[in-house]
Amino acid sequence: MRCFINDTKFSGTLIIPDNVQIIESRAFNGCGRLNGVVELPEDLLIVSDGAFASCSIEGVVINSNVEQIQGSAFAGCLQLNSIVCKAKVPPTLDASAFAGVAKDNFVVEVPEASVADYTLAPNWNEFKRIAAHREFSISRNLFRTLNAENSKTLVLRAESGATWSVESCPDWVTVTPSSGVGKTEITISVNEMSVVNVATFDVETYDSWGSTTSTTYKGRTGEVVFLLNGKDYRTRTRVEQYDYTYGDGDVITNQTATVGNGVNIVFMGDCFDAQDIATGKYINGINEAIEHFFAVEPYKTYRDYFNVYTVFGLSSDSGIGTANTIREAKFGSQYGLQAAGSVGVDENICFEYACKIPTVTKGNIHQTPIVLIENSYEYDGITYMWDDGSAIALVPMSQDEYPFDFRGVLQHEAGGHAFGKLGDEYIYHNSFITSCSFCGDASIPVRHAHSLGWYKNLSLTGNIYDVAWSHLIFDEKYQNTVDVYEGGYMHTRGCFRSEQNSCMNNNIPYFSAISRQAIVERIMEYAGEEFSFEEWKAKDKGFYTGSASSATRMAIEPSVVVSSGVSRQQPPKFMGEKPELNF
């Protein structure tokens, strides 16, 4: 079926004949005059790509036989505020099917027996309010936690004047209040779970094709059932408590310095829920990150100077949110909160959790870089930096090909920016750094960094006697690799670097000589020792032996990218003189 509505404004309910089985791609796409409610026909099996994209509809009723809703089917329907799906089995839903639709503004109504299935089904589970009745719902259908006692405050929505009560809940769960009238804030409290004789429970998950898999976990589960008195309406929150050695806010000492006063570095994870933590995904990601950090020079040689810590952060949801996916993250990570889609974060709680470590205080947090591992496999990355030296590196567990993998992003963001205070050497724009049509005068943040003693690997002059690495250019040990090369900090002209290629260019496992020197100078400063150039030079390792040109990003037009994610890593974001620590 292919339909177009051009001239007549539609309101009320659009009813499509019952014998229609497929609404074809873009059938009603962009029909701005199509508003009101769309009721899909009973025989319909597939809603095709973009079928109702960018329409002004306010509601959709999906019949009981629909099996598949394809990409962008209702994307851009910004006025949509009602979804009723009568299918007992959740239709296969493409991730982009409801792109742009607010997923926490209204209840998705589904058959009562199927509520749990919809809350677990891929992409349906992005809607935070799924219930059998629009006028009676709970703001979260799933509450996951670990062994320690924990509480979660939710909103129970009922019509004004309607009374409700808790019909049932596990004996290890308390609900306060247990009854009420109309819309009410309620708190679900979970008792501490003993590690002795821990039971098991099964969790069903759906794949993208709608098939289910059951997995057994150590812990316990149960439902809190709320009843709308007198109407036999119910809404539910499933509670899952997972058994694990560590809990939210717990600290692991991975390594204690054996040289110097101890240089602190903290690794934490965001967007990992209780299930992620209990299955080892959190700690495995952290351990991998630590090994990546110390796998490149000079960190490899100077590893004994570091105190290395892990802090656990329990998020309510798994995975990082975007403009189209609502996720509640412990440290506030979200894609798209910053320019070019990079990750935003709640820095205050990051610093608060770092200060749970005995050797980390508000007084030395500026010398304690935080590395926040994101529960995401996308290529991205950004570092937040304050003038006092405080820094938070946000590092997704990228599965892009080398050198844009997890290792590459970690060494660039954490080793290069957060600790080393180095500037980016990559090139995105074929223009002068002082007069870029995209950036304006991009030399301003470079000058600011120089005023703080940072970005020693970049220069705004090409004079070999004025660059920060002039002492290395004619040194016998470095003269074959160190010189003055134009191009850096995203621009082909007006910014200069010391070597053809390095980790600060495109994430290869190599820091330039001046970068290695700057990193060791900082290690010595934080460790309370004097830096000796001759001693550093004698211990210096890690010369790049690969092809300098083969991995270097070429000067290209801004709209062209070299890899699947080249423009996703962004220059550090300067946050001011020092963070406000409100804890």
Side-chain angles (χ1 to χ4, degrees):
M1 176 184 179
R2 188 177 295 277
C3 302
F4 297 91
I5 298 178
N6 296 318
D7 300 322
T8 305
K9 182 175 180 180
F10 177 87
S11 61
T13 301
L14 171 65
I15 301 177
I16 302 171
D18 281 343
N19 61 350
V20 174
Q21 291 188 324
I22 299 176
I23 297 180
E24 295 183 12
S25 297
R26 303 176 64 82
F28 296 93
N29 180 275
C31 291
R33 294 179 179 272
L34 178 61
N35 56 17
V37 178
V38 171
E39 186 170 328
L40 301 182
E42 191 60 33
D43 294 330
L44 186 71
L45 301 177
I46 298 174
V47 183
S48 297
D49 294 343
F52 293 93
S54 301
C55 290
S56 298
I57 58 176
E58 297 175 3
V60 58
V61 179
I62 301 168
N63 69 69
S64 59
N65 293 311
V66 168
E67 297 175 353
Q68 187 179 133
I69 302 176
Q70 296 182 345
S72 301
F74 296 93
C77 294
L78 306 183
Q79 310 304 317
L80 192 65
N81 59 32
S82 173
I83 299 174
V84 177
C85 189
K86 298 179 179 180
K88 293 182 179 179
V89 177
T92 300
L93 183 67
D94 186 89
S96 64
F98 288 98
V101 174
K103 295 181 173 62
D104 196 25
N105 283 359
F106 57 89
V107 174
V108 175
E109 297 178 66
V110 302
E112 183 161 359
S114 304
V115 171
D117 291 334
Y118 277 86
T119 61
L120 296 174
N123 302 315
W124 285 109
N125 59 8
E126 297 298 341
F127 291 93
K128 295 306 177 187
R129 293 158 58 185
I130 298 175
H133 309 282
R134 182 186 306 182
E135 66 270 26
F136 191 50
S137 66
I138 189 73
S139 59
R140 173 174 286 275
N141 297 108
L142 179 61
F143 174 24
R144 285 176 169 166
T145 187
L146 296 168
N147 297 67
E149 63 179 48
N150 194 11
S151 297
K152 187 78 177 174
T153 298
L154 307 177
V155 176
L156 184 69
R157 290 178 169 87
E159 290 184 314
S160 177
T163 63
W164 58 266
S165 58
V166 174
E167 184 178 51
S168 63
C169 74
D171 59 8
W172 41 275
V173 174
T174 303
V175 181
T176 308
S178 59
S179 62
V181 180
K183 185 188 299 181
T184 308
E185 274 195 338
I186 59 101
T187 299
I188 297 179
S189 300
V190 179
N191 295 342
E192 181 177 359
M193 181 171 60
S194 170
V195 297
V196 179
N197 299 322
V198 175
T200 61
F201 65 95
D202 295 333
V203 174
E204 285 193 342
T205 55
Y206 288 76
D207 62 22
S208 57
W209 300 101
S211 300
T212 61
T213 301
S214 182
T215 306
T216 300
Y217 299 93
K218 291 182 65 177
R220 55 190 179 183
T221 187
E223 271 193 336
V224 178
V225 181
F226 300 91
L227 174 69
L228 190 63
N229 299 334
K231 291 193 176 181
D232 201 31
Y233 290 172
R234 292 170 179 82
T235 188
R236 296 169 168 83
T237 292
R238 177 182 169 97
V239 182
E240 296 175 359
Q241 189 172 24
Y242 292 80
D243 178 48
Y244 192 65
T245 305
Y246 299 99
D248 184 60
D250 285 349
V251 175
I252 294 177
T253 301
N254 301 89
Q255 173 182 306
T256 301
T258 57
V259 184
N261 294 337
V263 179
N264 294 328
I265 184 166
V266 181
F267 290 82
M268 304 189 294
D270 204 12
C271 310
F272 295 84
D273 70 5
Q275 187 182 98
D276 294 324
I277 294 174
T279 55
K281 186 177 183 181
Y282 188 105
I283 196 64
N284 291 340
I286 296 292
N287 288 340
E288 184 178 352
I290 292 171
E291 293 311 307
H292 287 328
F293 185 87
F294 290 105
V296 63
E297 294 291 352
Y299 295 108
K300 186 175 183 179
T301 293
Y302 290 83
R303 181 169 184 162
D304 290 344
Y305 280 82
F306 284 84
N307 296 321
V308 184
Y309 302 100
T310 296
V311 181
F312 282 86
L314 172 61
S315 294
S316 295
D317 292 313
S318 176
I320 187 167
T322 68
N324 292 309
T325 56
I326 297 175
R327 305 286 171 79
E328 188 177 340
K330 183 68 181 186
F331 301 109
S333 298
Q334 293 280 340
Y335 280 135
L337 290 181
Q338 299 299 329
S342 282
V343 195
V345 72
D346 182 341
E347 64 268 14
N348 191 69
I349 194 169
C350 287
F351 291 120
E352 178 184 350
Y353 269 57
C355 286
K356 293 180 182 292
I357 296 167
T359 63
V360 179
T361 67
K362 291 182 179 181
N364 66 9
I365 194 72
H366 64 290
Q367 293 186 345
T368 306
I370 296 171
V371 185
L372 193 63
I373 306 305
E374 304 291 350
N375 187 13
S376 167
Y377 297 117
E378 292 190 36
Y379 171 65
D380 207 303
I382 192 169
T383 299
Y384 292 82
M385 303 176 73
W386 287 260
D387 291 1
D388 69 341
S390 302
I392 305 172
L394 278 62
V395 182
M397 299 184 292
S398 170
Q399 291 186 343
D400 266 32
E401 294 182 359
Y402 169 90
F404 306 106
D405 52 0
F406 184 23
R407 188 275 321 154
V409 179
L410 188 287
Q411 290 176 355
H412 180 104
E413 298 294 341
H417 289 318
F419 189 89
K421 306 296 191 274
L422 305 175
D424 289 304
E425 297 175 7
Y426 50 71
I427 298 170
Y428 292 159
H429 305 164
N430 185 20
S431 63
F432 284 92
I433 191 171
T434 55
S435 56
C436 177
S437 58
F438 288 84
C439 308
D441 186 354
S443 70
I444 294 174
V446 177
R447 295 180 192 278
H448 178 67
H450 285 167
S451 72
L452 300 171
W454 303 352
Y455 287 16
K456 292 184 178 180
N457 61 318
L458 296 178
S459 176
L460 296 175
T461 175
N463 188 315
I464 62 173
Y465 299 108
D466 291 334
V467 295
W469 56 89
S470 61
H471 60 293
L472 302 176
I473 294 175
F474 297 103
D475 188 292
E476 183 178 0
K477 185 172 182 177
Y478 302 104
Q479 61 183 344
N480 290 337
T481 54
V482 178
D483 210 315
V484 178
Y485 299 91
E486 191 164 17
Y489 203 74
M490 300 179 292
H491 298 84
T492 57
R493 303 298 309 278
C495 189
F496 302 84
R497 64 191 189 277
S498 65
E499 299 184 32
Q500 284 279 22
N501 200 19
S502 83
C503 187
M504 301 316 294
N505 175 19
N506 69 346
N507 301 350
I508 62 171
Y510 168 78
F511 286 108
S512 65
I514 186 59
S515 297
R516 297 195 300 275
Q517 179 182 331
I519 290 169
V520 175
E521 287 176 348
R522 191 165 301 279
I523 293 172
M524 294 297 103
E525 177 189 350
Y526 291 0
E529 296 187 359
E530 289 290 328
F531 173 78
S532 165
F533 175 78
E534 293 302 326
E535 184 177 337
W536 165 75
K537 180 178 171 182
K539 294 173 66 175
D540 186 38
K541 303 174 184 176
F543 288 92
Y544 182 54
T545 57
S547 170
S549 60
S550 62
T552 303
R553 301 179 190 203
M554 303 302 293
I556 53 175
E557 291 301 316
S559 60
V560 182
V561 295
V562 181
S563 85
S564 62
V566 150
S567 64
R568 295 299 296 277
Q569 274 181 272
Q570 299 298 310
K573 183 175 177 62
F574 289 96
M575 302 295 292
E577 292 185 5
K578 61 180 181 180
E580 295 182 10
L581 304 178
N582 302 317
F583 56 88

